[in-house]
Amino acid sequence: MPLLNKPRTVVPGGPGGDPAPASLSRLRVALTVFFALDGFLFAGWVVRIPAIKQQTGSSASDLGLALLGVSAGAVVTMTLTGRLCRRFGSHRVTVAAAVLLSLSMALPPLTHSALALGLVLLVFGAAYGGINVAMNSAAVDLVKTMRRPVMPAFHAAFSLGGMLGAGLGGLVAGGLSPTVHLLALTGIGLLVTAAAGPVLLRHRAPAAGAPTASPAPRRLEGRTRRLVVLFGVIALCTAYGEGAMADWSALHLEQDLHAHPGLAAAGYSLFALTMTVGRLTGTAMLERFGQTRTLVLGGATAAAGMLIGALATSVWVALAGFAVAGLGLANIFSVAVGRAGELAGPGGVAAASTLGYGGMLLGPPAIGFLADWFSLPLALTTVAVLAACAAAIAYGARGAAVPGAAE
């Protein structure tokens, strides 16, 4: 499996040679903790969305507009995080964004209108976008330094954190107010950052002018640019589904299928669990089926699962559909971004990642508008449509291989 690249290569151990294996191991553990923390905090927020919606008196479209605050904050931050990483290092930016993300968790329960919610979600989105870009950059550097395809394990940690966060949210939904719950998550986030952050801070990035291990073209031109955009669209289509599941699955189960709040929270928890399983087995799947077959099979599986989950009339059938969708979506994002990197180096990774995270952040507001215009179950079928589109695009781009890459 080819190694992923990114806009700037940072050797985790800093100048002066490769870091020792023990140092790399500690760095890997610390980065894994931050991926898990990101998923844990994000899931803790999303399972309380129904309560926050009721607290603010928002309609589905009002909530969709408020959720645009997450998108807007993240998009702005993503455009700046690359520069911040080049100046301060991806490790420092990861730690700073984790602190901001933890603090921002306490803000949504303090709001009592859709406008106020949207404003505080700008802060939450800025932190979420920043930590995702920074820690993925740090992780890709580590993958390159270790020369092992361990990226799926980092994404598995994110999914595992999401599963734990959603599970905890389901357990406390009936007994704790959103204010107490999310404030507790702020404390947990700050404690975890204080424990794992020093490991990252001790691994300084080299100076901006340090040579990279494998030079890559700085500009994307012609056919290469078009192919990178295609893989970016694949990432967007599947990240749209992950964002939609995070923000709307609990509300769908509770509102449309009349599930208990605790059981409704289990929808995203189950989705995150199957994504974790899929990502933990992602390397073996890539070695057996190759990249194109993994993308096509994943997209088709996700489409089928989401159709079942969105249109089911039973809570348990819907949960089964969400589980299947999680398995299908598990590895598509990372494989698509990796293919873009193979084709165009760091510029390809940057372009595809931006499109992908855009899908994750813009999907939830789009679902909100469609739910108001039609219905939430029908709106969720768009996840299946886009997953099927991702599979079709991947099949159409099957000839865009790089020498040595597994097809």
Side-chain angles (χ1 to χ4, degrees):
M1 177 181 175
L3 299 175
L4 299 179
N5 300 299
K6 73 167 211 10
R8 174 175 171 264
T9 299
V10 177
V11 180
D18 291 334
S23 179
L24 282 180
S25 179
R26 288 193 296 270
L27 179 58
R28 179 180 177 183
V29 170
L31 280 174
T32 300
V33 168
F34 277 104
F35 271 87
L37 177 66
D38 185 35
F40 178 79
L41 294 179
F42 186 73
W45 147 246
V46 301
V47 299
R48 300 315 296 253
I49 285 178
I52 299 296
K53 177 178 181 290
Q54 182 178 9
Q55 175 182 300
T56 57
S58 303
S59 66
S61 59
D62 289 337
L63 181 61
L65 283 172
L67 291 173
L68 278 175
V70 180
S71 305
V75 167
V76 171
T77 305
M78 285 177 178
T79 61
L80 300 174
T81 301
R83 297 177 184 177
L84 292 174
C85 289
R86 284 192 293 272
R87 181 170 181 180
F88 301 105
S90 58
H91 297 170
R92 288 182 175 180
V93 177
T94 297
V95 174
V99 172
L100 181 59
L101 182 64
S102 300
L103 293 173
S104 68
M105 292 295 297
L107 299 178
L110 304 180
T111 63
H112 297 280
S113 69
L115 176 59
L117 178 61
L119 292 176
V120 301
L121 289 180
L122 281 170
V123 180
F124 179 83
Y128 183 72
I131 193 172
N132 273 278
V133 172
M135 71 183 182
N136 272 287
S137 294
V140 170
D141 285 329
L142 184 59
V143 168
K144 196 167 187 178
T145 303
M146 295 181 68
R147 299 186 178 278
R148 293 185 59 200
V150 297
M151 183 62 76
F154 290 120
H155 290 272
F158 174 86
S159 296
L160 180 60
M163 179 190 70
L164 294 176
L168 176 64
L171 289 175
V172 304
L176 292 181
S177 68
T179 301
V180 174
H181 177 203
L182 296 183
L183 186 60
L185 294 185
T186 292
I188 292 172
L190 292 175
L191 287 174
V192 171
T193 301
V199 178
L200 266 65
L201 297 178
R202 283 195 295 267
H203 291 76
R204 295 286 302 276
T212 62
S214 56
R218 294 184 179 180
R219 299 180 60 187
L220 307 180
E221 296 180 349
R223 179 174 179 270
T224 300
R225 178 187 293 273
R226 291 192 294 272
L227 289 171
V228 166
V229 170
L230 282 179
F231 287 115
V233 171
I234 292 174
L236 183 153
C237 289
T238 55
Y240 173 98
E242 190 170 351
M245 282 296 300
D247 282 5
W248 292 101
S249 60
L251 189 62
H252 169 56
L253 292 170
E254 185 175 337
Q255 171 184 289
D256 299 317
L257 300 180
H258 311 293
H260 182 273
L263 185 58
Y268 181 67
S269 182
L270 185 60
F271 174 81
L273 171 62
T274 56
M275 285 200 78
T276 302
V277 173
R279 285 169 171 172
L280 287 173
T281 59
T283 298
M285 186 173 182
L286 285 165
E287 290 173 344
R288 179 171 183 178
F289 297 108
Q291 295 176 340
T292 296
R293 289 180 181 176
T294 297
L295 290 173
V296 173
L297 181 61
T301 301
M306 276 309 301
L307 280 178
I308 294 171
L311 301 180
T313 56
S314 161
V315 173
W316 298 106
V317 174
L319 289 172
F322 291 162
V324 172
L327 282 174
L329 292 177
N331 296 298
I332 300 178
F333 184 94
S334 58
V335 173
V337 172
R339 288 291 295 271
E342 294 163 16
L343 288 165
V349 173
S353 297
T354 300
L355 282 170
Y357 281 115
M360 179 178 288
L361 296 166
L362 295 176
I367 294 289
F369 289 118
L370 290 171
D372 246 14
W373 294 336
F374 304 102
S375 69
L376 183 53
L378 186 61
L380 289 173
T381 63
T382 60
V383 175
V385 172
L386 290 181
C389 288
I393 294 170
Y395 182 78
R398 63 192 180 280
V402 177
E407 272 300 297

